[in-house]
Amino acid sequence: MIQNAYELLTKLKSKNLLEHTTDEFWWPKSGTYEVIIGAILTQQSKWESVEKSLANLYKADLSSLQDIANSDIGLLKECIKPSGFYNQKSHRLKLLASNILQEFDSLEEFKNEVTREWLLSQKGIGFESADAILCYFAYRDVMVVDNYTKKMLQSFGYEFESYHQIQEWIEEGITQNFAKVQKLYGYDISLHKVYARLHGKIVEFSKKKSIF
């Protein structure tokens, strides 16, 4: 039985799940505009499909928030079609890009100043998408929770009533044992990086349908 998130991290870390990961924070091209776009596109979609959509956007010269905000909606829909729900997602992408550009002077200011509350006020942004942007784009100390996380914890006998309860359980287990976490990694790892990589380990483990 897993008693806390530190024990979960220990078990997952022993399996070298991120050994082929190209980004140190797991999410491809973390800290870039692609995280913002990807957080929308990956809703109810596989990441492999999101990658196809991102490649299409670059081929169509839609490689910035300005490009997305000013894009022809028909072209945008065609580019992101591999991710599914392209009618809905195209409008939400354009609106989000426009709102970011209107309310923040630059992408760097958005990274430094954006709040969870602001993200949740945007159409199509829920808890998971907001936290993905905060964690993987803005590099905040936030643990992302998804269905993989929920199902994994259920397999250990844990039942939570809300997203926030799961998030609180994980963050509490890591912060209360952070000295042990540092020793586990063997170097001065940041809390943010632990959350980012722990989420990545959960996803990769679940995709492989491995067992403990």
Side-chain angles (χ1 to χ4, degrees):
M1 177 66 175
I2 297 292
Q3 299 297 320
N4 54 55
Y6 166 70
E7 292 185 7
L8 175 61
L9 173 64
T10 300
K11 279 189 172 290
L12 290 172
K13 193 174 186 306
S14 68
K15 297 185 179 296
N16 299 316
L17 293 160
L18 305 187
E19 58 184 357
H20 300 302
T21 300
T22 57
D23 191 289
E24 63 177 321
F25 296 103
W26 176 67
W27 192 295
K29 297 185 179 179
S30 66
T32 72
Y33 121 102
E34 282 196 16
V35 175
I36 303 171
I37 304 303
I40 299 291
L41 294 180
T42 198
Q43 295 172 1
Q44 301 181 68
S45 181
K46 295 182 178 179
W47 184 253
E48 292 76 14
S49 299
V50 174
E51 289 181 323
K52 293 177 183 178
S53 294
L54 289 170
N56 289 341
L57 290 172
Y58 277 102
K59 288 178 184 177
D61 291 325
L62 300 179
S63 57
S64 71
L65 289 181
Q66 289 87 347
D67 294 333
I68 297 293
N70 298 325
S71 65
D72 173 77
I73 193 66
L75 174 61
L76 184 57
K77 288 179 181 180
E78 189 63 30
C79 288
I80 68 170
K81 189 173 286 187
S83 300
F85 300 94
Y86 55 90
N87 286 315
Q88 181 184 75
K89 290 179 180 179
S90 59
H91 288 285
R92 289 179 175 178
L93 281 175
K94 279 181 67 72
L95 182 60
L96 177 61
S98 296
N99 288 346
I100 291 173
L101 295 171
Q102 289 174 8
E103 300 199 32
F104 300 89
D105 290 335
S106 65
L107 201 57
E108 192 63 27
E109 181 181 301
F110 174 72
K111 180 179 288 188
N112 294 330
E113 302 295 333
V114 68
T115 64
R116 193 170 193 261
E117 290 71 27
W118 188 89
L119 287 168
L120 291 174
S121 72
Q122 305 304 303
K123 193 173 183 63
I125 298 286
F127 298 133
E128 182 183 339
S129 299
D131 288 343
I133 292 171
L134 290 174
C135 179
Y136 293 105
F137 173 74
Y139 293 154
R140 307 286 177 80
D141 295 342
V142 175
M143 178 68 195
V144 180
V145 173
D146 56 19
N147 282 331
Y148 289 129
T149 313
K150 182 179 180 180
K151 289 179 180 179
M152 179 174 287
L153 293 180
Q154 284 177 336
S155 73
F156 295 124
Y158 287 99
E159 293 290 342
F160 297 92
E161 294 182 0
S162 69
Y163 178 101
H164 294 101
Q165 285 186 354
I166 299 174
Q167 187 179 58
E168 182 180 3
W169 184 88
I170 295 175
E171 292 184 351
E172 184 177 89
I174 295 299
T175 55
Q176 289 184 352
N177 295 281
F178 200 63
K180 294 180 182 178
V181 172
Q182 296 274 10
K183 188 175 181 179
L184 179 67
Y185 276 91
Y187 65 93
D188 190 21
I189 189 170
S190 66
L191 179 59
H192 156 254
K193 192 171 183 179
V194 173
Y195 288 151
R197 293 182 68 83
L198 175 54
H199 175 237
K201 293 176 193 296
I202 291 171
V203 173
E204 297 299 338
F205 181 88
S206 300
K207 283 183 176 180
K208 291 180 179 181
K209 299 181 179 178
S210 303
I211 57 174
F212 283 101

